[in-house]
Amino acid sequence: MSKIKIAELFYSIQGEGRYMGVPSVFLRTFGCNFKCAGFGMPRGETSHEATDIAATHTMITPFTKYEDLPLVSTGCDSYASWHPDFKDLSPMLTSEAITDRIMEILPQDYWVDEHLVITGGEPLLGWQRAYPDLLNNTKMRDLKEITFETNGTQKLTPEFKAYLAKWNSVVGREITFSVSAKLPASGEKWEEAICPEIVCEYEQVGTAYLKFVVATEQDIKDAECAAGAFRHAGFTGHVYLMPVGGVESVYTLNAKNVALAAMKRGWRYSDRLQVPLFKNEWGT
């Protein structure tokens, strides 16, 4: 039986992108190939908030659960899902244990119109081999919609690609790749973060869209350049702009400007409903 290291597993509404407002089960896997320490920082600088919290966790007072972890205003707002100092908070669970927990948190003990969001970290980094066992569980048979929230840098293995194509061929089912491609503002390198050919491959087995997190005019220019690279490679999906900000004070500063920038370019605007509704608390 397959196992997956789970950072969080909770029921909420989707706050971003194509399925914004849809009741969803979020399966957050542990591990990522990026740190995104540049978010919310002056260009070229990186945040130390996650590192400072990790030092508290390992040397002073250990946190015992995700819900007790501090939120951050800079860097990656889901830092505990990849930072190695927090791996003790993420258990390795069997597919059976995961589906049992999903049945416990669904309102009616079975899938109706709820959506499964597999997120991270980076959910396509190392767990592709485990997902078929999870999705083949009898408790998942009525699931109709899956979104992989990915940074768009991980190729699908041939085996998993074939599995997804078969799963998605059933009438009424749909697979979506919400691709949050990392711009330079994230602190990641362009040549490592912008991978058009990989994202175009996602479109072969499902629907894919791009979601760029922006705060400044330079970020928006970077998004235009990145979108052009994806289009040149053959990408056909929608492009979203989303304001930076894991805490409300930062988020509200630029939400309107980002919406106007999206309108000007004929792109879509994505809110971050988890920020105004739930203050972006863990488990929301």
Side-chain angles (χ1 to χ4, degrees):
M1 185 177 295
S2 297
K3 292 184 178 181
I4 302 174
K5 194 168 181 61
I6 300 299
E8 291 188 285
L9 179 54
F10 59 92
Y11 178 67
S12 187
I13 63 167
Q14 174 60 275
E16 305 172 1
R18 181 186 184 195
Y19 287 96
M20 188 170 59
V22 174
S24 304
V25 171
F26 288 81
L27 177 64
R28 187 184 301 281
T29 63
F30 184 86
C32 191
N33 57 320
F34 287 156
K35 295 181 179 180
C36 297
F39 281 134
M41 298 293 293
R43 206 169 186 86
E45 298 183 22
T46 55
S47 171
H48 299 287
E49 286 191 73
T51 303
D52 292 343
I53 296 168
T56 297
H57 178 59
T58 56
M59 295 187 292
I60 303 175
T61 305
F63 297 96
T64 59
K65 54 185 179 179
Y66 267 75
E67 290 80 0
D68 294 336
L69 289 168
L71 302 179
V72 296
S73 58
T74 58
C76 174
D77 61 359
S78 58
Y79 61 90
S81 67
W82 56 263
H83 197 294
D85 287 348
F86 298 102
K87 62 183 179 181
D88 59 307
L89 300 182
S90 298
M92 187 75 77
L93 300 180
T94 64
S95 56
E96 188 68 25
I98 294 170
T99 56
D100 284 346
R101 178 55 182 156
I102 288 174
M103 292 302 106
E104 291 174 2
I105 62 178
L106 282 173
Q108 62 289 308
D109 303 329
Y110 55 89
W111 296 97
V112 182
D113 290 327
E114 298 87 4
H115 187 187
L116 176 63
V117 181
I118 303 179
T119 186
E122 172 46 55
L124 298 178
L125 187 61
W127 306 113
Q128 294 185 41
R129 64 189 182 278
Y131 294 139
D133 187 43
L134 173 69
L135 297 175
N136 286 339
N137 189 288
T138 56
K139 301 181 187 72
M140 307 292 277
R141 62 178 176 268
D142 294 324
L143 174 66
K144 300 179 180 67
E145 296 174 315
I146 303 172
T147 287
F148 290 94
E149 291 187 334
T150 173
N151 59 32
T153 65
Q154 302 302 304
K155 287 180 62 68
L156 300 176
T157 67
E159 297 80 9
F160 190 47
K161 183 178 178 181
Y163 176 84
L164 290 179
K166 183 177 179 180
W167 191 93
N168 204 26
S169 67
V170 176
V171 175
R173 288 180 175 177
E174 186 163 9
I175 292 173
T176 300
F177 295 87
S178 174
V179 181
S180 183
K182 305 308 179 186
L183 300 174
S186 69
E188 302 300 334
K189 296 179 181 178
W190 183 281
E191 60 272 19
E192 297 176 359
I194 305 302
C195 305
E197 292 77 14
I198 290 176
V199 175
C200 287
E201 184 184 24
Y202 298 165
E203 290 192 298
Q204 296 174 15
V205 294
T207 300
Y209 64 86
L210 298 170
K211 188 173 60 182
F212 295 116
V213 177
V214 297
T216 68
E217 285 298 321
Q218 183 58 56
D219 295 342
I220 296 170
K221 290 179 181 178
D222 290 339
E224 289 180 317
C225 185
F230 280 99
R231 294 293 188 215
H232 181 74
F235 177 75
T236 63
H238 292 296
V239 176
Y240 287 75
L241 288 186
M242 187 170 75
V244 71
V247 295
E248 195 166 17
S249 59
V250 177
Y251 163 80
T252 54
L253 283 176
N254 65 342
K256 180 179 178 181
N257 289 337
V258 173
L260 292 173
M263 291 168 57
K264 182 178 179 181
R265 290 157 180 82
W267 292 346
R268 299 188 174 193
Y269 170 77
S270 174
D271 212 328
R272 301 170 66 106
L273 290 180
Q274 68 272 27
V275 178
L277 291 181
F278 307 116
K279 312 304 178 188
N280 206 30
E281 294 176 355
W282 298 100
T284 61

